[in-house]
């Protein structure tokens, strides 16, 4: 029984295993532009193949055919060897969970055995197959880098379009399963770390202002998830009637304003009671490096405090990467895979504390 | 102005300065018997000179005469050179405050300019002059060592009696200013560290049982003070009708029972949720070594947690002495003298955090 329990988190095959054990792909390891506030930028394009019904209506055989088409389109990519194919039906639930925790796939895709994801080694490009649409192409870039992420998405989109018959209407644009995606089929988002707006209790106002201009603010895991660790995704809602360039410019402008507001709030905290801020940050550091039991929620809060300290120059010797890696490493599936066994919630809280202490110690030893 | 402010905590003369800067005298540095729970034992004898009115009723000239008599009695001690004389009227208020924080004098004595204290270098013997009684002889010993403390007190009492005419009534015993001290004039007490009884919420019961047999339970600074850091003084109330030996045996027996109850409570904590206990202890350790602002009350709680960890073998590398020294070092007067300047409450909270971090770091570096 204990053996079987352990086996459920047994190591997978080489190529997939590597993804599952790496908290941050090469594309997100270093900080990007405005990296003190902007964690990452993402562009997602929804595409469908003209000759098949949308995934909601298609038969298993269609799903298989879509996947085969996409895989052969990919085979023609000049950098095809850089991609790893992972079929949902072929990996255990925890492995799908880790891909969700890493933001490489959506929870919806994880639940579809006919779904697959094709990920570039550096994790800058992820192509979900048979999610809500036949194709959901996602690109990621560190910091505030929407244009870069879009260029990459556009490039991969061209490569796909060269080999696939994409459903496109001259009047409406790209056709998608959900009408909210019709048009450009694009959703762009920026992940922002906003601890000072939260601490100064001005976050509510900022979110309201952002929503008034038609953007959406969500928690770390997107739609319907709560904010944890003061991480917020700001994304466009409208996909129709504006060009990709206009959508990106709009989001970029708003993101820049929010980033400035966060920086001003940080200045206020430093000016009004620098010691109180340092105390908060260092207590969180002390707890992360000492606690023997910690929940995901508390860990996210403490990591947020210390990351703020790093960005304000109040904490030295901890690379921001180590903290950003922890965001993924402390999640249930990643955590259990790290320890190679199934763990109940209480055990997870203990192992999470072990993992955080170990990771920070190693990161500080490396300098 | 700033200079004057600093000067108020300027260093005093050599011999007195040494007392003021040493948190624990040699007599209390190492742990004594039952040192995992029993911090220290104290015996106090109240004595008065027959030819003078009690301090409450005497004129300044009498006070001066009492002091002169005591000082000449002391001069005849075989180890007279081991004693330091400190007159309250000759040292600044903060210095008197430190002597109170070190338990060498009472707050009452600190307020009397005609009062004095004569302390042995190892701080095992302290003789207050012109407190509530003409003489209040105190002896201290590490751990549960009431007999040893009493032997020392009895010895010094004999030396004093050889040169002073002590008020003694064949029927009532030693005469004292307050009737509750008449008889032996003795009060014996044990300082106990009872964190597990507090955590398991059984302390109330234990205190009640102790009070039922005629003993008194008080906080760290005696009468009318609250318990801080789970430190409790257990002492005898009755001084009349029982011999010194009977009083000591009685207190010793009860103290042993309380110590056993504390140990059992520690076992319960370890058995029921060891990780929860470790987590509490290590979080406190993390906060002590990281916080940038900490109140006396919180510091006392955190020190208590870590000391418990040391005594349970859960924390290595921190000598218990370093933690027991902090009990004194974090007090307002000691703290301000350490930093050589007058500090407001908020500044003290910051410096206290600095001092704790520094002291623990140094203690851990020494091993």
């Amino acid at each position: 029984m204990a053996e079987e329990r352990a086996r459920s988190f047994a190591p997978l095959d080489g190529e997939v295993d590597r993804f599952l054990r790496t908290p941050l792909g090469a594309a997100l390891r270093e900080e990007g532009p405005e990296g003190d506030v902007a964690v990452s930028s993402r562009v997602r394009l929804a595409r469908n193949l003209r000759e098949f019904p949308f995934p909601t209506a298609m038969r298993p055989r269609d799903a298989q055919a879509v996947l085969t088409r996409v895989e052969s389109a990919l085979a023609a990519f000049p950098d095809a060897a850089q991609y790893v194919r992972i079929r949902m039906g072929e990996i255990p639930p925890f492995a799908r969970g880790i891909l969700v925790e890493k933001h490489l796939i959506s929870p919806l895709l994880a639940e579809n055995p006919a779904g697959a994801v094709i990920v570039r080694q550096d994790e800058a490009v992820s192509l979900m197959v048979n999610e809500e649409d036949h194709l959901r192409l996602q690109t990621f870039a560190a910091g505030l880098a929407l244009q870069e992420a879009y260029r990459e998405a556009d490039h991969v989109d061209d490569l796909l379009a060269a080999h696939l018959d994409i459903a496109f209407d001259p009047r409406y644009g790209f056709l998608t399963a959900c009408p909210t995606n019709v048009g450009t089929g694009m959703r762009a988002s920026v992940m922002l770390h906003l601890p000072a707006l939260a601490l100064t209790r001005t976050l509510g106002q900022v979110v309201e202002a952002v929503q008034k201009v038609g953007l959406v603010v969500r928690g770390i895991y997107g739609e319907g998830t709560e904010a944890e660790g003061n991480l917020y995704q700001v994304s466009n809602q409208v996909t129709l009637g504006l060009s990709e360039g206009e959508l990106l410019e709009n989001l970029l402008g708003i993101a820049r304003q929010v980033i400035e507001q966060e920086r001003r709030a940080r200045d206020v905290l430093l000016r009004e009671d620098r010691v109180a801020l340092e105390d908060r940050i260092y207590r969180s550091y002390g707890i992360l490096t000492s606690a023997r039991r910690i929940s995901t929620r508390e860990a996210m809060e403490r990591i947020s405090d210390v990351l703020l300290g790093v960005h304000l120059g109040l904490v030295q010797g901890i690379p921001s990467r180590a903290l950003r890696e922890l965001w993924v490493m402390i999640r249930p599936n990643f955590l259990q895979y790290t320890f190679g066994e199934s763990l109940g919630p209480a055990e997870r809280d203990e192992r999470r504390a072990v993992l955080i202490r170990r990771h920070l110690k190693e990161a500080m030893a490396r300098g």
Side-chain angles (χ1 to χ4, degrees), chain A:
Chain A
M1 187 65 185
E3 206 186 328
E4 200 167 81
R5 188 162 160 268
R7 210 181 300 140
S8 70
F9 283 84
L12 301 187
D13 286 344
E15 208 171 36
V16 176
D17 184 70
R18 199 184 59 80
F19 274 114
L20 300 186
R21 295 195 187 280
T22 308
L24 288 182
L28 295 180
R29 268 173 219 159
E30 301 306 318
E31 288 186 1
E34 325 296 346
D36 58 326
V37 180
V39 178
S40 59
S41 299
R42 181 169 62 134
V43 167
R44 183 266 278 157
L45 301 178
R47 300 288 185 259
N48 287 279
L49 305 194
R50 198 183 296 272
E51 66 183 292
F52 296 96
F54 290 135
T56 39
M58 75 186 176
R59 294 155 303 174
R61 184 199 309 169
D62 294 331
Q64 187 50 54
V66 167
L67 184 54
T68 306
R69 294 279 175 94
V70 175
E71 289 185 346
S72 51
L74 179 83
F77 278 26
D79 60 348
Q82 293 299 311
Y83 285 83
V84 180
R85 278 169 293 267
I86 306 172
R87 293 187 183 191
M88 292 304 116
E90 294 174 0
I91 58 172
F94 79 83
R96 288 174 247 149
I98 294 175
L99 294 172
V100 173
E101 288 168 352
K102 292 187 68 178
H103 298 273
L104 288 173
I105 68 170
S106 64
L108 184 69
L109 187 79
E111 282 164 28
N112 179 7
V117 66
I118 299 168
V119 189
R120 206 167 74 185
Q121 304 271 8
D122 66 356
E123 302 184 31
V125 179
S126 148
L127 182 61
M128 290 190 279
V129 184
N130 295 327
E131 208 250 18
E132 188 179 288
D133 296 293
H134 294 144
L135 288 176
R136 285 265 173 121
L137 172 63
Q138 293 188 104
T139 56
F140 302 88
L144 187 66
L146 285 165
Q147 304 289 8
E148 292 74 2
Y150 177 70
R151 264 200 299 279
E152 191 70 57
D154 193 41
H155 169 68
V156 178
D157 188 37
D158 287 348
L159 291 176
L160 290 168
H163 296 87
L164 298 170
D165 186 11
I166 302 293
F168 183 82
D169 179 278
R171 186 152 155 231
Y172 295 114
F174 292 101
L175 301 178
T176 56
C178 176
T180 60
N181 290 316
V182 167
T184 60
M186 186 180 85
R187 172 154 291 163
S189 69
V190 183
M191 177 89 79
L192 300 175
H193 182 226
L194 306 175
L197 288 175
L199 275 173
T200 55
R201 304 189 185 284
T202 46
L203 187 63
Q205 273 164 252
V206 172
V207 167
E208 218 172 284
V210 168
Q211 284 166 339
K212 270 195 191 135
V213 296
L215 296 181
V216 180
V217 181
R218 297 198 174 103
I220 174 172
Y221 284 105
E223 216 162 329
T225 65
E226 260 186 282
E228 282 181 37
N230 301 308
L231 290 169
Y232 294 86
Q233 276 185 36
V234 181
S235 62
N236 68 311
Q237 183 74 287
V238 181
T239 56
L240 187 66
L242 289 172
S243 72
E244 286 87 348
E246 287 166 330
L247 290 172
L248 290 174
E249 273 310 318
N250 184 21
L251 176 58
L252 206 53
I254 299 299
R256 282 215 179 90
Q257 283 179 36
V258 176
I259 290 168
E260 270 319 304
Q261 283 166 312
E262 167 65 19
R263 284 180 186 148
R264 274 201 294 275
R266 292 180 186 184
D267 286 343
V268 168
L269 289 174
L270 279 175
R271 213 173 333 110
E272 289 188 351
D273 195 344
R274 184 190 176 96
V275 179
L277 184 63
E278 290 181 340
D279 186 51
R280 180 189 173 92
I281 288 166
Y282 271 95
R283 281 172 179 255
S284 285
Y285 165 81
I287 286 169
L288 285 176
T289 53
S290 305
R292 260 52 183 172
R293 188 177 269 171
I294 193 164
S295 68
T296 305
R297 171 166 293 275
E298 182 187 356
M300 290 299 288
E301 283 305 314
R302 305 287 180 196
I303 292 167
S304 171
D305 285 341
V306 178
L307 185 61
L308 174 63
V310 169
H311 284 139
L312 290 174
L314 300 175
V315 173
Q316 268 92 33
I318 305 182
S320 99
R321 173 181 163 184
L323 296 164
R324 290 180 288 114
E325 284 173 336
L326 283 178
W327 285 338
V328 175
M329 295 172 78
I330 63 172
R331 296 282 153 193
N333 291 294
F334 198 102
L335 186 73
Q336 291 175 96
Y337 195 49
T338 299
F339 287 99
E341 56 178 321
S342 169
L343 302 165
E347 291 172 304
R348 288 207 295 272
D349 286 354
E350 293 179 28
R351 299 297 183 92
R352 185 176 294 112
V354 170
L355 185 143
I356 292 170
R357 290 206 309 277
R358 196 169 70 191
H359 191 63
L360 290 179
K361 203 174 163 186
E362 286 170 3
M364 287 187 280
R366 276 194 308 270

